[in-house]
């Protein structure tokens, strides 16, 4: 900041000399040249503070990461999208049990994102974390592919018509080991690859800062392009009993994803890990507790912060003081005992360290509100598939797999992403004056509303399906294409919710916990799956009493799954009201570099005024 003040002060001096002393234009230009040198030094200093090990990156290498994301997603959904049918047809589990197992597995996938984010931010760095978790992902798929040859007997069973033979507990254990290795590998890879991709753009350059926001749109776009193949081609082969072939294709895709990632190794931009954030956050709370009786200074400039442009947190920019959670400011309040001798981080923390803890606390309410949306999203991989499996899915002699209906969700995402980027953003930009069109919080709120409408549509479809049930028949005569509205609405909601989440948590997370910020998006999906599983258990426990089959029985024609969908819609409406209060309360992170950039802009405007005055003097 001292260097910044020097630049700004010298700029003001130029303006005063021109206006008050009427110096010559040549002299003014000389002073400005010196000023530009100072500005160049400052910019170099700020960029150095970001601790880039290599200064390459850019779209050339970001595209490789997008390809990696698409191929890895193809591999993951080649297993996940039809998993509920594999459990019911091959392992012969009941509908409710299979839906719960899929929810738990999917929840584990996204819970592992927290592990990957922690290792990435603290010790391994983004690149090494991505590489290691992708290797685990490939290992899990290889084990699943090998196990499937022994699980699927006789060959071709599990197609909905031919039953599979009972399998031994050992094979079942190997199957679960393989899918949970897949969960661990893919989960740890996802938040890290998103953050590593955003690292390829230098935020200190305005053009690359805009590219970073665009990257998250393309990141989610590539995710859906990869899953489109899984939800159409692979699903068809798996649904017809060719499970082993589907798993082998997923394995091949995962290997290609790993190779595409390694190809860019020489040119990626790398950022060093910032150390374990857990002790830093713990130090803030312990220091604040120790100084509970200490008065906080009225002037925030009196709080403790290290001198110079660099933060005490390795590789992290300084964060300016905020008025939220003021009790934590006690950790940065200096006492007489702090002035003498070395600083004890368990007694005195910097403002940046305190603000890092505040950022985590501020993001948590927003994150908690997104869990209900993830409950909505997870129905697409479980109950939507089970619902479609008891509907008329024949087009002439062709049987349409129920899981392939999620292709409409993917197409909806692809179309809505284009509409959002090229139509909605420009219109909202003109109306609101916000360069992004809509803020991330606004987009997430819109996504929650659309998700709620998707549940209403799913409930209405189920009401109609039950009207066309013939006693004694498994399938309703209602066409499976009645599910299109609910899939399309879920897809539209994803564009607003999940892309908004990726941008929000990545932007608002301090530099030292960037991957943690990205992992919050996936952790929301994880808890959404666990909450969904808990809801199913609670609903069945309450509704399945005596001779009543409950809302989600093994025979869906005897149940009322529509009531479960409407229940989720009501819960989402309550969640939206709470979200509005949280979004209104939230205050964005205020980085010192952002302040420097604003002051640079003000300085440049001042320079333009100086140039105008010089031109006037020339005319005089």
């Amino acid at each position: 900041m001292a260097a910044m003040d020097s630049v700004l002060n010298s700029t003001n001096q130029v303006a005063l000399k021109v206006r008050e002393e009427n110096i010559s234009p040549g002299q003014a230009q000389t002073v400005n040249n010196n000023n530009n040198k100072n500005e160049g030094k400052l910019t170099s200093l700020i960029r150095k503070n970001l601790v880039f090990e290599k200064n390459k990156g850019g779209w050339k290498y970001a595209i490789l990461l997008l390809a990696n994301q698409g191929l890895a997603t193809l591999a993951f959904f080649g297993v996940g999208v039809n998993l509920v049918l594999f459990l019911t047809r091959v392992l012969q589990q009941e509908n409710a049990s299979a839906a719960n197992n899929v929810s738990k597995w999917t929840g584990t996938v996204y819970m592992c994102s927290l592990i990957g984010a922690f290792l990435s931010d603290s010790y391994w760095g983004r690149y090494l974390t991505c590489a290691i978790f992708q290797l685990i992902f490939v290992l899990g798929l290889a084990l699943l592919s090998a196990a499937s040859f022994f699980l699927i007997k006789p060959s071709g069973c599990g197609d909905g018509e031919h039953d599979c033979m009972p399998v031994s507990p050992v094979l079942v254990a190997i199957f679960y080991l393989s899918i949970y290795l897949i969960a661990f590998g893919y989960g740890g890879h996802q938040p890290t690859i998103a953050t590593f991709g955003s690292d390829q753009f230098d935020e200190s350059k305005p053009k690359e800062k805009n590219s970073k926001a665009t990257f998250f749109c393309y990141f989610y776009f590539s995710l859906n392009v990869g899953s489109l193949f899984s939800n159409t081609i692979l699903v068809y082969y798996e649904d017809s009993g060719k499970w082993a072939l589907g798993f082998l294709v997923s394995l091949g895709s995962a290997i290609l994803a790993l190779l595409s990632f390694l190809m860019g190794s020489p040119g990626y931009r790398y950022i060093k890990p910032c150390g374990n954030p857990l002790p830093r956050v713990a130090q803030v709370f312990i220091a604040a507790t120790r100084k509970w009786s200490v008065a906080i200074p009225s002037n925030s400039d009196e709080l403790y912060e290290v001198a110079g442009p660099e933060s005490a947190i390795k590789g992290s920019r300084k964060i300016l003081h905020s008025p939220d959670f003021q009790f934590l400011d006690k950790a940065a309040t200096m006492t007489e005992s702090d002035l003498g001798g070395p600083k004890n981080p368990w007694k005195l923390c910097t403002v940046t360290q305190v603000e890092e803890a505040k950022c985590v606390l501020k993001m948590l309410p927003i994150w908690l509100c997104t869990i209900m949306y993830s409950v909505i999203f997870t129905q697409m991989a479980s109950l939507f598939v089970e619902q479609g499996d008891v509907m008329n899915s024949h087009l002439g002699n062709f049987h349409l797999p129920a899981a392939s209906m999620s292709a409409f969700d993917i197409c909806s995402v692809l179309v809505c992403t284009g509409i959002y980027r090229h139509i909605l953003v420009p219109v909202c930009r003109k109306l609101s004056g916000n360069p992004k069109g809509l803020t991330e919080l606004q987009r997430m709120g819109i996504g929650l509303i659309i998700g709620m409408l998707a549940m209403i549509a799913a409930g209405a479809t189920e009401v109609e399906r039950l009207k066309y049930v013939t006693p004694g028949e498994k399938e309703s005569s209602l066409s499976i294409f009645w599910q299109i509205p609910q899939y399309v609405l879920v897809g539209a909601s994803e564009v607003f919710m999940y892309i908004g989440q990726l941008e929000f948590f990545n932007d608002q997370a301090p530099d030292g916990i960037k991957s943690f910020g990205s992992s919050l998006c996936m952790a929301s999906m994880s808890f959404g799956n666990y909450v969904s599983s808990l809801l199913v258990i609670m609903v069945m426990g309450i509704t399945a009493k005596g001779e009543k089959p409950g809302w989600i029985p093994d025979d869906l024609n005897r149940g009322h799954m529509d009531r479960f969908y409407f229940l989720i819609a009501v819960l989402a409406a309550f969640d939206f009201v709470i979200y509005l209060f949280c979004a209104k309360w939230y205050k964005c992170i205020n980085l010192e570099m952002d302040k420097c950039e604003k002051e640079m802009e003000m300085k440049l405007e001042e320079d333009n005024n100086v140039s105008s005055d010089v031109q006037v003097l020339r005319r005089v």
Side-chain angles (χ1 to χ4, degrees):
M1 282 305 295
M4 172 59 73
D5 292 339
S6 174
V7 172
L8 296 174
N9 289 337
S10 57
T11 302
N12 294 335
Q13 289 169 6
V14 173
L16 288 172
K17 286 181 179 179
V18 170
R19 292 170 182 162
E20 297 180 7
E21 299 179 15
N22 292 326
I23 66 171
S24 68
Q27 290 174 315
Q29 185 63 38
T30 300
V31 176
N32 270 320
N33 288 339
N34 293 333
N35 202 21
N36 290 335
K37 291 179 182 178
N38 290 333
E39 180 182 332
K41 291 179 182 178
L42 177 63
T43 305
S44 175
L45 186 63
I46 292 173
R47 290 179 184 173
K48 183 180 179 182
N49 190 39
L50 294 178
V51 200
F52 286 118
E53 292 183 353
K54 294 185 179 181
N55 194 24
K56 293 184 181 179
W59 275 114
K60 178 181 177 180
Y61 295 96
I63 288 172
L64 285 175
L65 299 177
L66 292 176
N68 172 270
Q69 171 67 2
L71 290 166
T73 303
L74 187 157
F76 174 73
F77 281 104
V79 175
V81 75
N82 238 358
L83 184 59
V84 68
L85 294 184
F86 187 90
L87 295 176
T88 54
R89 294 179 182 179
V90 178
L91 299 187
Q92 300 173 2
Q93 295 182 5
E94 295 182 352
N95 282 332
S97 176
N100 276 340
N101 284 330
V102 170
S103 293
K104 292 173 185 175
W105 177 77
T106 309
T108 303
V109 172
Y110 298 123
M111 183 62 72
C112 289
S113 66
L114 293 173
I115 299 173
F118 174 76
L119 292 172
S120 170
D121 286 333
S122 305
Y123 303 111
W124 292 353
R126 328 258 208 251
Y127 175 83
L128 185 59
T129 303
C130 285
I132 290 175
F133 277 97
Q134 283 187 82
L135 285 171
I136 296 171
F137 183 46
V138 170
L139 177 62
L141 283 166
L143 184 60
L144 176 63
S145 300
S148 64
F149 288 101
F150 300 96
L151 287 168
I152 303 167
K153 287 186 177 182
S155 179
C157 71
D159 59 352
E161 296 180 3
H162 302 90
D163 294 332
C164 292
M165 295 173 59
V167 295
S168 67
V170 174
L171 283 175
V172 173
I174 293 174
F175 167 77
Y176 276 108
L177 173 63
S178 65
I179 64 172
Y180 276 92
L181 278 174
I182 292 170
F184 186 60
Y186 185 78
H189 162 261
Q190 279 301 286
T192 314
I193 197 71
T195 310
F196 189 52
S198 68
D199 287 345
Q200 305 312 306
F201 304 100
D202 188 349
E203 283 188 292
S204 64
K205 300 175 182 177
K207 185 177 180 181
E208 291 198 22
K209 189 174 183 179
N210 293 333
S211 295
K212 180 180 175 180
T214 305
F215 171 80
F216 286 114
C217 265
Y218 287 128
F219 181 82
Y220 202 73
F221 185 89
S222 64
L223 184 152
N224 281 275
V225 169
S227 61
L228 180 62
F229 182 85
S230 301
N231 285 269
T232 51
I233 309 299
L234 283 188
V235 161
Y236 174 75
Y237 281 103
E238 291 172 355
D239 190 68
S240 60
K242 298 177 181 178
W243 295 95
L245 176 62
F247 296 152
L248 284 171
V249 172
S250 293
L251 173 61
S253 181
I255 293 172
L256 288 175
L258 178 59
L259 293 175
S260 70
F261 175 78
L262 295 175
M263 280 175 58
S265 301
Y268 290 136
R269 177 183 281 120
Y270 300 88
I271 296 182
K272 294 178 181 178
C274 296
N276 190 343
L278 297 180
R280 294 200 303 267
V281 174
Q283 286 167 356
V284 172
F285 283 94
I286 291 175
T289 304
R290 285 180 169 181
K291 296 180 178 178
W292 195 257
S293 59
V294 175
I296 301 172
S298 57
N299 186 357
S300 61
D301 292 337
E302 296 178 15
L303 296 173
Y304 174 65
E305 182 60 279
V306 294
E310 294 190 4
S311 163
I313 302 172
K314 180 181 65 175
S316 177
R317 291 168 289 183
K318 284 185 176 180
I319 309 174
L320 299 179
H321 178 262
S322 67
D324 304 304
F325 300 107
Q326 289 188 350
F327 69 94
L328 292 179
D329 289 339
K330 295 177 183 290
T333 302
M334 290 184 288
T335 61
E336 291 183 4
S337 60
D338 296 323
L339 298 176
K343 302 293 188 296
N344 183 349
W346 294 95
K347 292 182 179 179
L348 182 65
C349 305
T350 65
V351 170
T352 296
Q353 190 176 345
V354 171
E355 291 301 319
E356 183 181 57
K358 287 183 181 181
C359 285
V360 174
L361 291 178
K362 287 192 293 185
M363 288 191 295
L364 283 179
I366 300 294
W367 173 74
L368 288 171
C369 290
T370 64
I371 292 175
M372 193 61 229
Y373 174 81
S374 296
V375 172
I376 294 171
F377 180 78
T378 195
Q379 304 313 312
M380 196 167 55
S382 54
L383 293 186
F384 278 20
V385 178
E386 292 184 4
Q387 182 186 41
D389 199 41
V390 290
M391 298 179 75
N392 181 12
S393 57
H394 292 86
L395 292 173
N397 294 325
F398 177 75
H399 169 66
L400 184 68
S404 67
M405 287 297 292
S406 57
F408 288 100
D409 161 76
I410 298 165
C411 291
S412 175
V413 169
L414 301 180
V415 171
C416 291
T417 300
I419 293 173
Y420 174 78
R421 291 288 305 169
H422 300 291
I423 298 176
L424 192 58
V425 168
V427 171
C428 292
R429 184 185 294 138
K430 290 181 180 179
L431 295 176
S432 66
N434 187 336
K436 295 182 179 180
L438 295 171
T439 66
E440 291 87 352
L441 290 173
Q442 288 172 336
R443 277 184 278 167
M444 289 158 66
I446 293 171
L448 187 56
I449 293 174
I450 299 175
M452 179 179 65
L453 295 176
M455 287 296 97
I456 295 174
T461 299
E462 181 64 11
V463 169
E464 200 67 20
R465 187 192 72 80
L466 291 173
K467 292 179 182 178
Y468 289 84
V469 170
T470 302
E473 294 288 333
K474 175 187 175 183
E475 293 182 357
S476 168
S477 60
L478 187 70
S479 172
I480 194 173
F481 291 109
W482 273 70
Q483 284 191 311
I484 290 177
Q486 64 202 58
Y487 277 105
V488 169
L489 285 170
V490 170
S493 68
E494 289 176 59
V495 173
F496 289 93
M497 175 58 80
Y498 281 138
I499 296 178
Q501 273 193 70
L502 279 171
E503 288 188 41
F504 175 78
F505 290 123
N506 187 273
D507 286 345
Q508 297 304 308
D511 294 327
I513 51 172
K514 281 290 183 188
S515 294
F516 170 76
S518 297
S519 72
L520 284 178
C521 179
M522 299 190 68
S524 168
M525 296 184 193
S526 173
F527 278 91
N529 279 275
Y530 290 133
V531 171
S532 175
S533 180
L534 182 62
L535 277 175
V536 170
I537 293 172
M538 290 175 61
V539 164
M540 288 300 292
I542 294 172
T543 60
K545 291 182 178 180
E547 296 181 357
K548 295 181 180 179
W551 287 2
I552 315 173
D554 191 40
D555 182 3
L556 294 179
N557 294 334
R558 298 178 60 225
H560 277 286
M561 194 159 56
D562 53 316
R563 296 175 184 175
F564 184 73
Y565 288 136
F566 292 141
L567 172 64
I568 295 176
V570 171
L571 293 175
F574 281 112
D575 182 62
F576 177 71
V577 174
I578 298 171
Y579 174 80
L580 287 179
F581 285 102
C582 294
K584 187 176 181 181
W585 164 81
Y586 185 82
K587 301 289 190 304
C588 293
I589 187 174
N590 192 9
L591 294 168
E592 186 172 81
M593 187 174 178
D594 293 338
K595 182 180 179 182
C596 291
E597 289 174 352
K598 292 176 183 178
E599 290 175 340
M600 281 290 191
E601 291 176 2
M602 294 173 62
K603 188 193 79 64
L604 290 174
E605 290 180 4
E606 194 71 30
D607 286 346
N608 291 334
N609 293 334
V610 170
S611 299
S612 300
D613 289 342
V614 170
Q615 291 176 2
V616 171
L617 288 172
R618 283 176 177 170
R619 291 172 187 169
V620 174

